Amino acid sequence: MKRKDNFSELMGYAGKHRFLTYASWVLSALSALLALVPFVYIWLIVREVIRVNPDFSQASGIVKNGWMAVLFALLSMLVYFAALMCSHLSAFRIAGNIRKRAMAHVAALPLGFTEEMGSGRVRRIVNESSTATETYLAHQLPDLAGAIATPIGMLALLFAFDWRLGLLCLLPSVAAFCIMAKMTGKSMAEKMRQYQGALEDMNNEAVEYVRGIPVVKTFGQTVFSFKRFKGSIDRYNTWVVAYTKQLMKPMLWFTTAINGAFALLVAAGLVVARGDVTPEFLLDLIFYIIFTPVISVTLNKVMYMSENGLIVDDAMRRIRSLLEIRPLPEPASPRLPKDNSVEFDEVRFRYRNASEDAVKGVSFRAEPGQTVAFVGPSGGGKTTAAGLISRFWDASGGAVKVGGENVRDIPKETLMRTVSYVFQDSKLLKASVRENVKLARPEATEREVLAALHDAQCDDIVAKLPRGIDTVIGAKGVYLSGGERQRIAIARALLKNAPIVVLDEATAFADPENEAAVQRAFERLSEGRTVIMIAHRLTTVRHADRIFVWQEGQIAESGTHEELLEQKGLYEKMWRDYQTSVSWKVGGES
Ligand code: ADP
């Protein structure tokens, strides 16, 4: 039933091309039947050889029968090719359509979603799940049609020759089917899900690990950064070994059953004949012995097919789970921001699967044009709060307001135009500098792009690139440091010219010049805009209009730099620690 649902769902993606899938089944079944015919001809040859023995010159039909066998074998192959051609045309289209639908859906989801899910996982779901359906539709289903046609043809032959031997032939097949049913039963479906889950985890950790390499290098971390990745490999390993061991015995019996059919035939044939082996009986026996390889080939196909059935079940479930994640709802009665202020009113937020709120009823206000800084220990909730402003997620309680209106009531497009978010680790596309910057406003003129790059202090970056602003970032030999990437991201934000900017300051800089340049670029970006900055360096925040110190999901202190120093609280302590570390650094270097 479930398989059928999957199938009709898949056919939904095929559109008008679904008839190709059905055509492939008919052709494949026909090919399977045609493939049986050569065996009859081979048997005819053997029969003739035995009959005319020892005077082989009497044999007249051998050559003709031999050619007929070849002809039918070729015909069967040709028809099978045609079947695969049809099935592939439709399968590729379906896989393509699944990918398109899934990607269009992912693009509509809030940014927090990819962050939370891990982009490795999203990639795997979209890519590999659609590939799994392709194998299923292009190979497995046509083979299934063939596998159904083969026993029917066999049954016909069974009556044409010797029904007792025919039945014997079917016996190992029945045994093999029972073993297979056990191997692919309900508990195995669950196992397959776990297997896919472990694989997905490993994949995701690998992607995240490779992403994290720059940070790992900067901070000289070693084995600990491996820990999560290694953990996922270990889990996969333990799982696969246990699974393989469990399947060892059934697989052994299965292989024996399908390949041992002829041994059974020889032994049982003699018993059936009860010592009275007539030439006719011998001939029939020979037919079935010639014929048994077809059984093992067919059953092997069915075997891998049912395994793939499980993979497809799982693939469809994953795709569905992705499609079921709803985009943030668009407002029913849209409202436009009145000014460039940002305000939190008793905002709460909890991540899915988390046991505690990451933001615990926070209120604050940034006036239009002000620069406010978020500082505080890691895990305090700064990034989460900043994400709520751009609606990476929706608050679980309270109201996040931009220009006096709840962000939920502002149309998505307007909110995107109003708020820019510059990430700490700015993701640039593998495209030229120009294209990367223009992404913010595709219709921008060359002058505007150059001006944005200039204001974002990118002149030196562009100057050193081999092809200037047409250099493709990420191409061979073109590597930009974190600070340089962030400057290009700032140029993008400048070009976008949104009145409110959320900035997540980069933590790792290649050198002091780079840091200073990013600093100047930040200042340019702040001019005339409302800025919410997540600051990791206290020097950057000294001149902020207001500083909010985050701790455990709440704002513990707030004020200007001077006010906070006077309060002698957390900020003052952080500032002292910071001063010490700076003087220590300077001392250490001299
Ligand atoms: P900060 O930016 O101040 O370092 P964050 O906003 O990143 O703090 O984190 C606040 C809290 O939310 C932390 O306890 C962190 O563990 C948790 N958190 C952050 N991101 C996620 C996530 N994607 N899923 C679950 N919990 C998260």
Side-chain angles (χ1 to χ4, degrees):
M1 183 61 203
K2 194 149 155 262
R3 199 68 54 82
K4 197 166 158 241
D5 285 347
N6 279 342
F7 181 74
S8 45
E9 198 175 332
L10 281 170
M11 282 299 114
Y13 287 102
K16 319 200 277 296
H17 290 78
R18 64 177 70 192
F19 79 91
L20 282 172
T21 298
Y22 300 129
S24 79
W25 296 357
V26 174
L27 288 172
S28 171
L30 183 64
S31 152
L33 291 179
L34 286 172
L36 296 180
V37 182
F39 290 94
V40 177
Y41 282 106
I42 291 169
W43 176 80
L44 287 174
I45 293 171
V46 174
R47 188 178 68 173
E48 196 173 0
V49 169
I50 292 176
R51 284 221 175 119
V52 301
N53 186 30
D55 183 7
F56 294 117
S57 61
Q58 292 281 307
S60 58
I62 292 183
V63 173
K64 190 191 107 217
N65 284 336
W67 279 115
M68 288 306 280
V70 171
L71 185 75
F72 275 97
L74 281 178
L75 203 61
S76 156
M77 259 192 261
L78 271 179
V79 175
Y80 189 58
F81 276 138
L84 288 187
M85 188 79 90
C86 292
S87 68
H88 275 86
L89 280 176
S90 128
F92 282 140
R93 189 170 300 266
I94 292 171
N97 284 343
I98 292 179
R99 264 173 227 205
K100 277 189 212 150
R101 169 102 51 100
M103 283 323 292
H105 187 74
V106 169
L109 292 178
L111 229 117
F113 153 78
T114 16
E115 193 105 328
E116 218 170 295
M117 194 144 180
S119 45
R121 179 161 291 161
V122 176
R123 183 191 68 84
R124 193 176 129 76
I125 291 181
V126 174
N127 256 349
E128 298 186 13
S129 296
S130 57
T131 309
T133 68
E134 185 236 300
T135 322
Y136 178 68
L137 288 167
H139 292 278
Q140 317 278 289
L141 285 183
D143 281 352
L144 179 66
I148 291 170
T150 304
I152 294 173
M154 270 162 66
L155 277 175
L157 290 174
L158 189 142
F159 287 105
F161 291 84
D162 186 314
W163 66 270
R164 293 165 303 180
L165 294 177
L167 277 184
L168 264 178
C169 249
L170 286 182
L171 210 63
S173 317
V174 173
F177 260 114
C178 294
I179 300 169
M180 202 158 63
K182 196 168 153 13
M183 278 199 280
T184 55
K186 228 187 166 96
S187 70
M188 272 303 145
E190 179 52 38
K191 282 265 148 58
M192 184 57 70
R193 238 194 302 284
Q194 290 172 8
Y195 168 75
Q196 296 289 336
L199 195 63
E200 198 177 278
D201 260 355
M202 190 166 71
N203 203 324
N204 202 28
E205 288 302 336
V207 173
E208 300 302 325
Y209 173 71
V210 171
R211 284 243 172 95
I213 284 178
V215 181
V216 171
K217 283 198 164 165
T218 318
F219 293 104
Q221 292 178 0
T222 51
V223 67
F224 291 106
S225 51
F226 273 116
K227 233 163 122 187
R228 275 179 50 178
F229 185 28
K230 182 169 181 306
S232 73
I233 297 176
D234 286 345
R235 274 194 300 281
Y236 177 74
N237 183 35
T238 319
W239 197 92
V240 166
V241 170
Y243 177 60
T244 314
K245 277 193 179 150
Q246 199 185 349
L247 277 189
M248 199 163 68
K249 271 199 189 136
M251 200 60 200
L252 185 80
W253 288 116
F254 178 77
T255 315
T256 312
I258 60 169
N259 290 312
F262 80 95
L264 182 74
L265 270 179
V266 174
L270 293 176
V271 175
V272 171
R274 288 199 204 87
D276 178 22
V277 182
T278 60
E280 281 72 33
F281 180 76
L282 192 63
L283 267 176
D284 288 346
L285 185 63
I286 286 174
F287 174 77
Y288 284 106
I289 289 175
I290 298 170
F291 195 63
T292 45
V294 183
I295 302 175
S296 59
V297 170
T298 315
L299 282 179
N300 247 330
K301 271 189 190 170
V302 179
M303 165 76 198
Y304 287 107
M305 191 158 55
S306 36
E307 186 195 48
N308 202 270
L310 294 180
I311 294 177
V312 161
D313 266 355
D314 194 65
M316 293 307 287
R317 200 175 50 76
R318 274 162 212 271
I319 292 274
R320 234 176 277 133
S321 72
L322 188 67
L323 292 178
E324 274 163 10
I325 301 173
R326 297 267 52 94
L328 296 179
E330 275 283 345
S333 48
R335 305 180 69 88
L336 298 180
K338 290 193 272 287
D339 55 33
N340 298 328
S341 63
V342 174
E343 193 177 344
F344 271 39
D345 184 9
E346 285 297 317
V347 171
R348 296 193 159 273
F349 178 75
R350 178 177 300 195
Y351 285 100
R352 246 187 313 178
N353 311 326
S355 57
E356 214 188 330
D357 285 352
V359 175
K360 301 172 183 161
V362 169
S363 303
F364 75 86
R365 184 174 159 86
E367 298 298 336
Q370 270 192 341
T371 295
V372 307
F374 287 177
V375 299
S378 166
K382 304 183 288 292
T383 315
T384 310
L388 290 172
I389 302 170
S390 314
R391 258 191 122 188
F392 290 181
W393 308 275
D394 265 342
S396 344
V400 177
K401 292 182 190 164
V402 165
E405 297 294 347
N406 194 322
V407 285
R408 289 173 193 253
D409 297 331
I410 302 172
K412 225 182 283 176
E413 292 285 318
T414 312
L415 188 66
M416 272 172 64
R417 266 202 312 278
T418 314
V419 184
S420 282
Y421 196 113
V422 179
F423 289 90
Q424 176 180 95
D425 180 18
S426 303
K427 295 184 178 62
L428 299 181
L429 300 182
K430 191 173 173 180
S432 68
V433 175
R434 181 207 311 273
E435 285 162 320
N436 263 294
V437 175
K438 263 183 127 170
L439 212 58
R441 193 149 58 84
E443 73 283 0
T445 64
E446 181 79 2
R447 266 187 55 192
E448 287 171 318
V449 173
L450 290 175
L453 280 164
H454 174 77
D455 288 347
Q457 315 292 315
C458 294
D459 292 343
D460 62 326
I461 305 176
V462 174
K464 80 169 188 192
L465 290 175
R467 296 186 53 219
I469 72 166
D470 289 314
T471 312
V472 173
I473 298 167
K476 219 172 161 198
V478 179
Y479 176 77
L480 296 182
S481 73
E484 287 170 333
R485 283 204 306 275
Q486 194 162 46
R487 275 188 269 159
I488 294 191
I490 292 172
R492 189 191 281 169
L494 279 165
L495 191 67
K496 182 171 159 185
N497 202 14
I500 299 172
V501 180
V502 181
L503 268 175
D504 194 351
E505 186 188 43
T507 43
F509 288 104
D511 51 69
E513 287 93 77
N514 218 330
E515 187 174 343
V518 171
Q519 195 55 45
R520 281 197 302 278
F522 271 174
E523 279 158 21
R524 269 320 282 263
L525 186 58
S526 311
E527 283 168 18
R529 296 189 175 86
T530 312
V531 177
I532 313 280
M533 173 157 75
I534 304 171
H536 303 286
R537 246 166 290 266
L538 291 185
T539 32
T540 2
V541 307
R542 276 188 75 164
H543 306 294
D545 295 304
R546 237 179 138 66
I547 301 168
F548 295 104
V549 186
W550 287 78
Q551 194 180 22
E552 292 173 8
Q554 282 173 321
I555 295 180
E557 295 167 19
S558 69
T560 61
H561 176 71
E562 283 73 24
E563 285 167 3
L564 284 171
L565 284 185
E566 273 176 27
Q567 284 185 23
K568 299 220 179 300
L570 185 61
Y571 183 83
E572 197 255 354
K573 184 177 174 312
M574 281 165 61
W575 180 252
R576 257 192 292 126
D577 288 350
Y578 178 69
Q579 299 291 38
T580 323
S581 82
V582 170
S583 62
W584 175 83
K585 219 165 159 186
V586 172
E589 275 167 8
S590 61

